[in-house]
Amino acid sequence: MKNQANLKEPEVIELTNCRTCGEKTLTTFLSLGPMPIPNGFLKPEQLTEGEAYFPLDVAFCENCGLMTLAHVVRPDIMFRNYVYIPGTSKTMVDHFREMAEDIAERFKLTKDSLVIDIGSNDGTLLKQFKALGPKVLGIDPAENIAAEATRQGIETLPEFFGENVAHEVAKKKGQADVITGTNVIAHIDNLVDVMKGVNALLKPGGVFIGEFPYLVDLIEGGEFDTIYHEHLSYFSIRSLLNLAKRTNFEIFDAKRTKVHGGSIQVYFRRAGQNKEPFVNELVILEKAKRLDIIEPFEDFARRTLARKEELTKLLKELKAQGKKIVGYGAAAKGNVLTNFFRIGPDLLDYVVDSIKYKQGLYTPGLHIPIYPETKLLEDMPDYALIFAWNFADEIIEKNSEFRRRGGKFITTIPSIRII
Ligand code: JHZ
């Protein structure tokens, strides 16, 4: 079984039809690029090699309300050798523990149940399921991370998920009671193929639960830096209802969660079980927020440009006062911010990060060096700009000594603040 990445395919293609409803009604309303892929961290010897830049334009589907990137970068460029892992964040580990407990209880999972996680990464979610009894299996195309997860006891197949892979897994391992996919469905272009794969791999009566950043939170919070090449789709429930209908599934529950700036968990099962059309408070909320027309998206684009001016002005003023500023958390979203705002080593001396795979590397595009978090106290810069704003509370709390010695944090989202 080998993956679907075809090296003969072009590196980037323009999207012509909406991925959830299939219509040709896409209108581009914001351009953040071109820029390098934001998890494309560089080794020192790669700094002079030149990087590939890809468009980063955002479009809106007038028909079903999906927000989507206007282009798709070939997946193997982004996901084969991946550096992001959720396991170093306490917030994510706690979140996945709660999620696993909730699902295991609600769907009465036992030690005979099978849970399969798509885009399972380092196995952080599956470890929680395993501790509760069920058998688990991960599927993730990042060969480096899949191998590490398997070494740690979470069997992980290094594959891109789709219908073909699903049939093979079902043959070898059997069908699953629950399939999960956290922060991965938004990363996949062919969602019809994903749903066909889920159909092949799910037991009768099984459920598929997807979690991803929620469009309402992204637009309201001005979370422009969540927009990058990996994240092809920014889902509303409305857009997903279209996808479910096209693929013979139905949504039977959807709820908001706090992670990654505000996410949703959406519950799918095979069609034909809902007695009434699915309407919950989120469907009503999206209508009230007018996310079915382009105006709120154009307003979001205006707010993003205003934030660019505000933050660059602040950093330049601090720099002119002789202050030393660094970045905190070499998140992919930080690389969107630095590239779009043009904030480079002239303003930020370095970035600190807890993930060992990122330390010693340089950020894509602007080449800011990355160090372990311990450098913050050794060096005591005046300001640390928090790129990983979704973990701001955790980061500020664990760095109380930095603040006690006079260090200050700057946040960018939901607003630019000095703490
Ligand atoms: P973090 C990820 O985006 C990747 P990113 C992915 N594409 C996705 O879908 C979204 O999340 C939703 C560091 N850190 O999670 C670790 C510290 O240094 O916001 C990470 O490098 N110290 C799958 O990359 C970064 O910050 C800490 O105490 O934007 C956070 O990256 C903590 C808590 C984190 O994701």
Side-chain angles (χ1 to χ4, degrees), residues 28 54 94 96 147 196 224 253 256 270:
T28 299
F54 298 101
D94 290 349
F96 283 146
K196 283 183 180 167
F224 73 92
D253 196 7
R256 292 174 97 161
R270 290 190 184 89

Side-chain angles (χ1 to χ4, degrees), residues 145-182:
I145 295 176
E148 180 64 25
T150 301
R151 253 195 306 279
Q152 289 184 18
I154 302 296
E155 185 185 354
T156 305
L157 304 175
E159 303 288 346
F160 284 99
F161 183 77
E163 192 182 6
N164 292 343
V165 167
H167 278 296
E168 297 212 27
V169 175
K171 223 187 292 161
K172 284 191 190 145
K173 306 278 178 185
Q175 289 178 313
D177 298 82
V178 169
I179 300 178
T180 49
T182 64

Side-chain angles (χ1 to χ4, degrees), residues 67 214-224 256 261 285-286 288-291 296-297 299-300 303-304 307 413-415:
M67 185 171 120
Y214 188 28
L215 184 63
V216 170
D217 293 303
L218 187 145
I219 296 293
E220 292 225 303
E223 298 168 2
F224 73 92
R256 292 174 97 161
L285 176 76
E286 289 167 15
K289 300 279 176 198
R290 304 193 316 147
L291 292 185
F297 296 88
D299 176 59
F300 166 81
R303 284 184 282 134
T304 300
R307 194 172 305 226
I413 284 175
S415 58

Side-chain angles (χ1 to χ4, degrees), residues 81-318:
N81 188 12
Y82 207 47
V83 286
Y84 170 76
I85 49 169
T88 63
S89 151
K90 184 177 174 307
T91 308
M92 288 313 290
V93 174
D94 290 349
H95 170 66
F96 283 146
R97 181 179 311 115
E98 238 173 71
M99 181 173 171
E101 284 171 359
D102 184 43
I103 293 170
E105 194 187 312
R106 180 167 174 183
F107 300 104
K108 314 226 168 333
L109 301 183
T110 66
K111 63 177 183 19
D112 298 321
S113 311
L114 174 62
V115 178
I116 295 184
D117 190 27
I118 306 171
S120 50
N121 202 291
D122 59 353
T124 304
L125 175 60
L126 287 180
K127 277 179 199 156
Q128 300 298 337
F129 276 113
K130 196 175 169 182
L132 296 168
K135 291 173 279 181
V136 299
L137 177 71
I139 304 177
D140 195 296
E143 287 164 345
N144 57 331
I145 295 176
E148 180 64 25
T150 301
R151 253 195 306 279
Q152 289 184 18
I154 302 296
E155 185 185 354
T156 305
L157 304 175
E159 303 288 346
F160 284 99
F161 183 77
E163 192 182 6
N164 292 343
V165 167
H167 278 296
E168 297 212 27
V169 175
K171 223 187 292 161
K172 284 191 190 145
K173 306 278 178 185
Q175 289 178 313
D177 298 82
V178 169
I179 300 178
T180 49
T182 64
N183 297 307
V184 65
I185 309 303
H187 298 54
I188 304 177
D189 187 26
N190 190 344
L191 293 180
V192 172
D193 186 54
V194 168
M195 297 311 278
K196 283 183 180 167
V198 169
N199 187 39
L201 197 49
L202 207 55
K203 267 186 198 161
V207 294
F208 169 47
I209 302 155
E211 183 178 74
F212 22 75
Y214 188 28
L215 184 63
V216 170
D217 293 303
L218 187 145
I219 296 293
E220 292 225 303
E223 298 168 2
F224 73 92
D225 50 2
T226 299
I227 300 170
Y228 51 87
H229 308 92
E230 284 180 20
H231 298 164
L232 300 173
S233 306
Y234 306 85
F235 296 115
S236 55
I237 298 292
R238 188 173 150 237
S239 60
L240 289 168
L241 284 167
N242 275 276
L243 176 71
K245 197 167 163 203
R246 273 175 85 199
T247 53
N248 277 324
F249 276 84
E250 61 191 22
I251 294 174
F252 66 96
D253 196 7
K255 60 182 187 190
R256 292 174 97 161
T257 60
K258 289 207 174 100
V259 291
H260 292 304
S263 297
I264 35 173
Q265 266 172 25
V266 183
Y267 292 65
F268 297 85
R269 65 186 171 201
R270 290 190 184 89
Q273 302 172 65
N274 280 357
K275 290 198 180 69
E276 305 279 335
F278 176 79
V279 181
N280 84 347
E281 57 188 25
L282 300 186
V283 178
I284 297 163
L285 176 76
E286 289 167 15
K287 267 220 177 97
K289 300 279 176 198
R290 304 193 316 147
L291 292 185
D292 48 351
I293 55 171
I294 197 156
E295 279 72 12
F297 296 88
E298 289 173 340
D299 176 59
F300 166 81
R302 278 190 290 276
R303 284 184 282 134
T304 300
L305 296 173
R307 194 172 305 226
K308 176 176 183 172
E309 269 187 33
E310 196 187 344
L311 185 67
T312 43
K313 185 164 164 268
L314 171 69
L315 296 184
K316 281 179 186 161
E317 277 170 12
L318 292 174

Side-chain angles (χ1 to χ4, degrees), residues 82 84 187 228 230-231 332-333 353-354 358 373 390 398:
Y82 207 47
Y84 170 76
H187 298 54
Y228 51 87
E230 284 180 20
H231 298 164
K333 61 175 78 64
D353 196 279
S354 59
K358 295 186 183 179
E373 288 169 297
N390 43 327
K398 79 184 203 191

